[in-house]
Amino acid sequence: MKKLLDALQQGICIINQKRIICYTNPVFLDLLGYRGCELIDEPIDELALFKEKEDLVMFRAKKGDYQKLKVKCLEQTFEEEVFKCILVESYTEKEEKEIEQEELEYEKGLQLGVLKKEFFANVSHEFKTPLNIILAMMQLMDKNNEDGTLVYQEGYNLNKYIKVVKQNAYRLLRLVNNLIDMTRIGAGYYPVKFENHNIIQVVEEITMSVAEYIQGKGIELIFDTEEEEVFLACDPEKIERIMLNLLSNAVKYMGPPEERDHILRISVEIEVNEESVCIYVKDNGMGIQEDKIQSIFERFVQVEDNLTARTDGSGIGLALVKSLIELHDGHIAVQSEEGVGSTFYFTLPIRQVEAVHNVIQRTTHNQIEKCSIEFSDVYDRLI
Ligand code: ADP
């Protein structure tokens, strides 16, 4: 029997009921770099880390490092004593890669799980805040409602209440829009209507449409371009989403007013080269912590700000922006320095389409409404 086991091409180790090693074959010793009877009478649990139901086990090699081996255990009764025969095998490089990949995916899954949990907490908060504000406003309005007629009282400001309700309704709408779009992109169903447009004009019009709003917040807005006309295939509605998201972030993350002793400035600049157009959205706001820059385009990620109160937001705006740009075969990147400002820039390839691509459902919101929606979480804290 021993001769037979010695000759086997598979590593074998036999342990008794007390889990003490009583036999090892040469292949087993070779795999771990041991010799002769070195392992006999040693407890197996000092050599290997068995985990329940796992067929991959870590073994301590002679050199002290650990090696993962594929394991199969068989039980054998001999003279009324139960022995365990452990068959071990190293796995191929291909298998190793597969395992690594699996582990990586598992890790990613875990991380995504944590992010999702945080995201749901964030989103619930995002839904609750505007809803509570709307309800509070309704209550205030109701106070002055006498048999269906609003009665004037000192300090009653109906305009303000209506404005707050409207803004918070927009905020909810934006959140729902973003969630729906992200889900549709994630599911691979998101119609984009490519048509040849003068991208310079598209970007300029979008920028100008929010100029009054931005300047009204005491922020200078500059638009600068190298060229006046570059036609490329794009979906202006998506470009609008991208630009409004970047611009509203630039306003939102300007930093706390008491710390702003410089001229607040947002600039939109366009550079053109042979293959692509590059659009810059620059701000001199609070900037982004260096270690967070890499992750801000990921879904659900929000940079925690330990200096100021956490800003409202769900952390899906930039992920959506990135997906929209990628649907145009473009790229987005950011350069940012904390306390100095951020520059988000994205490229769009210059190429044209023969005919209109794809079908799209047009949203029914008009321009002013769209801006109100996109800028709805940069809101004046009225209450
Ligand atoms: P949110 O809904 O939180 O604004 P985004 O995906 O739009 O989500 O942004 C993700 C994070 O990136 C934000 O929480 C913010 O910390 C950071 N960020 C985005 N734009 C800027 C900017 N212009 N300046 C500073 N930080 C920014």
Side-chain angles (χ1 to χ4, degrees):
M1 177 73 145
K2 184 178 176 298
K3 270 193 184 153
L4 188 71
L5 293 178
D6 279 350
L8 277 182
Q9 290 305 302
Q10 196 171 24
I12 293 180
C13 166
I14 299 179
I15 55 170
N16 63 17
Q17 257 168 323
K18 288 181 184 148
R19 300 183 65 78
I20 300 292
I21 300 173
C22 35
Y23 167 79
T24 52
N25 79 346
V27 175
F28 182 85
L29 293 169
D30 268 0
L31 276 171
L32 298 169
Y34 292 97
R35 282 205 207 159
C37 303
E38 248 181 301
L39 294 173
I40 304 299
D41 292 338
E42 294 283 334
I44 185 73
D45 295 310
E46 280 186 18
L47 181 76
L49 297 168
F50 285 92
K51 281 188 198 157
E52 233 180 304
K53 285 190 191 149
E54 272 190 19
D55 56 356
L56 286 174
V57 173
M58 293 289 248
F59 282 87
R60 184 168 43 81
K62 170 96 182 198
K63 280 188 261 157
D65 49 352
Y66 278 83
Q67 205 171 321
K68 218 179 229 181
L69 297 173
K70 259 203 294 194
V71 164
K72 211 185 261 176
C73 292
L74 304 171
E75 278 192 4
Q76 186 73 47
T77 313
F78 185 70
E79 288 178 0
E80 290 187 7
E81 199 181 339
V82 182
F83 290 88
K84 217 177 226 175
C85 181
I86 304 166
L87 309 169
V88 300
E89 235 179 308
S90 60
Y91 41 86
T92 60
E93 229 171 82
K94 190 171 160 249
E95 281 176 308
E96 193 170 359
K97 284 221 174 89
E98 277 171 13
I99 291 162
E100 263 173 30
Q101 189 61 31
E102 264 173 33
E103 279 174 358
L104 217 74
E105 263 157 33
Y106 178 69
E107 281 287 314
K108 263 197 207 158
L110 279 185
Q111 266 181 4
L112 195 67
V114 173
L115 280 176
K116 274 188 181 164
K117 256 192 212 155
E118 283 175 10
F119 171 73
F120 280 116
N122 266 353
V123 168
S124 316
H125 167 84
E126 277 294 285
F127 272 112
K128 261 192 191 156
T129 316
L131 277 174
N132 280 335
I133 296 174
I134 291 174
L135 286 174
M137 288 293 115
M138 301 308 284
Q139 234 168 13
L140 280 175
M141 284 191 231
D142 206 32
K143 252 182 160 180
N144 290 50
N145 172 13
E146 273 177 23
D147 296 329
T149 314
L150 283 178
V151 184
Y152 179 79
Q153 268 172 23
E154 189 73 32
Y156 186 76
N157 189 343
L158 186 61
N159 276 345
K160 178 178 135 183
Y161 303 153
I162 292 176
K163 193 176 162 195
V164 176
V165 169
K166 213 168 166 182
Q167 185 162 27
N168 282 281
Y170 282 140
R171 203 176 149 191
L172 285 173
L173 199 57
R174 176 178 190 255
L175 183 62
V176 173
N177 280 348
N178 280 353
L179 282 174
I180 293 175
D181 285 1
M182 275 315 286
T183 318
R184 285 164 89 195
I185 293 177
Y189 173 73
Y190 193 72
V192 182
K193 186 185 181 188
F194 286 105
E195 277 175 327
N196 302 328
H197 288 277
N198 178 4
I199 188 70
I200 314 288
Q201 192 189 350
V202 172
V203 173
E204 184 171 4
E205 276 175 13
I206 300 166
T207 311
M208 288 311 132
S209 73
V210 292
E212 202 182 317
Y213 176 85
I214 291 180
Q215 284 155 358
K217 290 200 158 281
I219 303 169
E220 203 177 285
L221 179 69
I222 298 166
F223 177 81
D224 192 16
T225 176
E226 278 182 346
E227 307 246 349
E228 292 301 327
E229 204 176 80
V230 179
F231 277 87
L232 54 78
C234 65
D235 182 338
E237 218 168 78
K238 309 293 181 282
I239 303 294
E240 188 173 81
R241 266 328 257 298
I242 296 166
M243 286 302 297
L244 292 180
N245 254 300
L246 293 179
L247 286 167
S248 69
N249 273 352
V251 177
K252 189 159 118 186
Y253 299 107
M254 255 308 162
E258 58 278 11
E259 284 172 26
R260 306 170 182 176
D261 49 4
H262 53 279
I263 296 172
L264 310 178
R265 188 174 294 129
I266 295 174
S267 58
V268 176
E269 292 165 27
I270 309 183
E271 273 177 20
V272 182
N273 62 38
E274 269 180 25
E275 284 151 19
S276 61
V277 167
C278 188
I279 299 155
Y280 297 82
V281 179
K282 299 182 181 174
D283 68 67
N284 60 356
M286 58 204 264
I288 306 163
Q289 291 151 257
E290 205 184 333
D291 55 332
K292 297 286 158 51
I293 292 181
Q294 288 310 316
S295 57
I296 55 167
F297 294 108
E298 282 167 29
R299 234 181 331 167
F300 317 142
V301 169
Q302 239 202 349
V303 177
E304 283 271 0
D305 184 5
N306 36 25
L307 295 174
T308 55
R310 192 188 160 133
T311 9
D312 297 297
S314 54
I316 43 177
L318 285 179
L320 182 65
V321 163
K322 184 169 185 263
S323 303
L324 292 175
I325 292 170
E326 283 168 358
L327 285 174
H328 283 80
D329 283 335
H331 301 285
I332 183 162
V334 62
Q335 268 173 3
S336 184
E337 198 180 324
E338 228 185 328
V340 178
S342 314
T343 301
F344 284 83
Y345 53 100
F346 63 97
T347 56
L348 295 173
I350 302 179
R351 56 173 185 227
Q352 268 109 41
V353 280
E354 298 275 312
V356 176
H357 270 212
N358 288 347
V359 211
I360 192 168
Q361 307 126 282
R362 285 214 159 255
T363 52
T364 50
H365 311 299
N366 64 29
Q367 183 61 32
I368 295 172
E369 226 191 339
K370 272 182 198 166
C371 298
S372 310
I373 295 171
E374 294 302 337
F375 278 73
S376 56
D377 60 352
V378 195
Y379 70 128
D380 308 310
R381 289 177 194 272
L382 292 166
I383 59 163

